[in-house]
DNA sequence: CGCTACCTTGACGCGAATCAAGCGGCGTGG
DNA sequence: CCACGCCGCTTGATTCGCGTCAAGGTAGCG
């Protein structure tokens, strides 16, 4: 029996253990491998666009993706962030709908596209995958609702602190244990926090002066996480 | 064979056709009837509370429910609204989690509670129900993300107009075709829009002076929906 | 009939958006 | 290799939306 291999084999994919396809039976893995393709996206490229019809399920093999929507005046709002092992585009797929946000690579990324029909057949027979995706949507909803409360009740300082902590929770630190393992433009941070670029710049430089964070270009270091937590007024 | 009947039989329930239990096979209907109980909630009573563990799935037979969370300073934020035929509490149930918002009756309501274990077995064998609930969560997520964009990009006037249109879309009008078929306190409207009570009062009275809405106590009439749409800056 | 909860209006002040201008780095092309 | 130009970053000045505080009105209910 020959070892089937494509761009990178799902069976040996190190990212899979973090994904919804963890614990997939070997047979399904072989099939999955047959019905997926790997795509490379350069930083800034769009994985999919708002209002487009889904072609399949996107699985991030390696990279960082932002999901964002645009308001009436064209201003962007970052809604979610995704990393290695995350799947994106499942909402539109499951509800047989168009994408209602766009996905953009924050850095060069490798993404696997699982064919739509295969995905449907997979969740049909493999409940485990389906329930994992449901759990994902549920936690997205929870996060979105928390975000709603933050936006309507917290000021820019608090939301900025929250955002920095969220970046840390999502992407972690570099080896130094301080610097965020992700870079955004100031405008992107503003689009995440829901404020203006200038306000973000002022807030970051204030945190910088307070020695709570360090700034060197786009590299942001979290020097004092407990204080950030206090600034953000989060309970846990 | 005896006709099994409890508080109100699911088989003959008029609300069911609007719910996720539409098209349920007769056998399952009988079972559903056995595993549910009807509960009456007076206006203002809580159906369930944030952080509680779900006992089952709540189905609104007749009534209006608000789902709301609280921010760090105790201020409430209304996250969703539910009406006849809607189910609530499915997110916590599906992700085996605690409720992360509270449900409160906006008026006297009759609500059926479907036992947790029966619900699990039902969605396990009846994919139709499961997919309907997934579609529900998906649309909740979409709505939440739209709300995020609104909150971060629109001002109080625009969001208030949006809210009024949303109330109309959810609960409709009274027979006069003008008056909203729901009443909130000014504070509740503020908690929905994400602003202060005073700001809502001022905004409503401005709309009132512009003859876009009419106010008589808590009764709100939408006199000029197209203009409200313009105020809200919604596209469709 | 009086109390309480809710609604309303006005005055004030702060946070943050906006506008405007200068800075710095980086890539491109001469 | 340097100069120019563009884009993102930064800072200051100004404006204004809206949250907050305070006070008074109204309606429903015991």
């Amino acid at each position: 029996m020959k070892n089937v291999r494509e761009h990178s084999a799902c069976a040996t994919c190190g990212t899979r253990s973090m994904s919804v396809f963890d614990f997939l039976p070997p047979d399904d893995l072989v099939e999955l491998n047959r019905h997926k393709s790997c795509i490379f996206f350069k930083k800034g490229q769009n994985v999919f666009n708002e209002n487009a019809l889904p072609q399949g399920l996107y699985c991030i093999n390696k990279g960082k993706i932002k999901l964002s929507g645009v308001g009436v005046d064209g201003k962007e709002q970052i809604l979610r962030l995704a990393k290695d092992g995350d799947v994106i585009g499942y909402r539109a797929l499951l509800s047989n709908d168009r994408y209602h946000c766009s996905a953009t690579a924050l850095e060069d990324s490798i993404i696997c596209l699982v064919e739509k029909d295969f995905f449907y057949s997979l969740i049909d027979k493999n409940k485990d995958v389906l329930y994992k995706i449901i759990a994902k949507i549920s936690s997205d909803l929870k996060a979105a609702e928390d975000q709603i409360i933050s936006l309507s009740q917290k000021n820019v300082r608090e939301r900025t602190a929250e955002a920095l902590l969220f970046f840390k929770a999502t992407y972690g630190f570099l080896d130094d244990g301080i610097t965020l393992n992700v870079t955004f433009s100031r405008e992107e941070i503003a689009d995440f926090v829901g404020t203006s670029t200038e306000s973000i710049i002022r807030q970051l430089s204030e945190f910088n002066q307070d020695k709570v964070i360090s700034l060197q270009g786009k590299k942001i270091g979290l020097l004092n996480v407990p204080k950030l937590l206090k600034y953000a007024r989060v309970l846990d």
Side-chain angles (χ1 to χ4, degrees), chain A:
Chain A
M1 191 183 168
K2 219 170 135 240
N3 189 359
V4 179
R5 250 176 206 269
E6 288 181 40
H7 324 266
S8 71
C10 294
T12 59
C13 171
T15 314
R16 205 194 72 241
S17 64
M18 307 181 294
S19 82
V20 293
F21 298 122
D22 197 12
F23 300 119
L24 208 61
D27 295 1
D28 287 340
L29 268 185
V30 172
E31 278 304 301
L32 174 60
N33 210 34
R34 251 183 219 132
H35 292 280
K36 76 126 207 289
S37 41
C38 291
I39 313 175
F40 175 80
F41 290 92
K42 250 197 124 41
K43 174 174 177 169
Q45 275 189 322
N46 272 25
V47 179
F48 56 74
N49 292 297
E50 200 166 342
N51 292 318
L53 285 168
Q55 309 298 317
L57 184 72
Y58 292 94
C59 309
I60 303 174
N61 180 12
K62 178 110 198 55
K64 301 186 173 70
I65 305 291
K66 66 171 175 182
L67 290 118
S68 55
V70 288
V72 274
D73 36 34
K75 183 169 162 50
E76 197 173 315
Q77 174 71 38
I78 296 182
L79 295 164
R80 277 177 265 161
L81 295 173
K83 57 175 191 298
D84 299 3
D86 283 340
V87 290
I88 56 178
Y90 43 85
R91 197 209 57 84
L93 218 49
L94 276 183
S95 57
N96 224 335
D97 201 2
R98 290 168 183 273
Y99 293 122
H100 88 288
C101 50
S102 302
T104 310
L106 289 169
E107 58 177 43
D108 293 357
S109 301
I110 300 165
I111 297 181
C112 298
L113 173 57
V114 178
E115 287 170 22
K116 189 166 77 170
D117 292 334
F118 176 73
F119 170 73
Y120 284 137
S121 72
L122 185 67
I123 59 172
D124 198 56
K125 74 170 180 180
N126 195 313
K127 289 221 172 70
D128 189 44
V129 173
L130 179 57
Y131 279 110
K132 271 186 184 147
I133 290 189
I134 290 174
K136 196 112 190 51
I137 300 191
S138 292
S139 87
D140 287 347
L141 178 58
K142 196 169 170 176
E145 294 185 334
D146 286 345
Q147 175 83 339
I148 287 173
I149 295 181
S150 280
L151 276 170
S152 74
Q153 302 189 12
K154 291 188 176 179
N155 60 28
V156 169
R157 148 182 279 249
E158 292 162 341
R159 299 207 307 273
T160 303
E162 252 183 3
L164 293 172
L165 292 167
F166 186 81
F167 297 157
K168 177 203 153 221
T170 306
Y171 296 122
F173 289 134
L174 295 181
D175 290 338
D176 63 7
I178 287 178
T179 308
L180 286 177
N181 181 25
V182 62
T183 59
F184 295 102
S185 69
R186 301 300 197 243
E187 188 180 4
E188 281 174 323
I189 301 178
D191 290 344
F192 184 89
V193 171
T195 185
S196 68
T197 309
E198 294 95 326
S199 291
I200 278 296
I201 287 169
R202 279 184 246 271
Q203 200 53 67
L204 287 181
S205 83
E206 189 191 312
F207 287 163
N208 187 34
Q209 277 171 6
D210 294 357
K211 305 281 180 214
V212 179
I213 67 170
S214 63
L215 295 173
Q216 25 193 348
K218 301 198 172 179
K219 292 273 169 206
I220 300 177
L222 305 194
L223 302 177
N224 192 337
V225 172
K227 206 157 186 179
L228 267 182
L229 280 163
K230 225 175 253 172
Y231 282 168
R233 289 200 302 144
V234 285
L235 302 178
D236 25 318

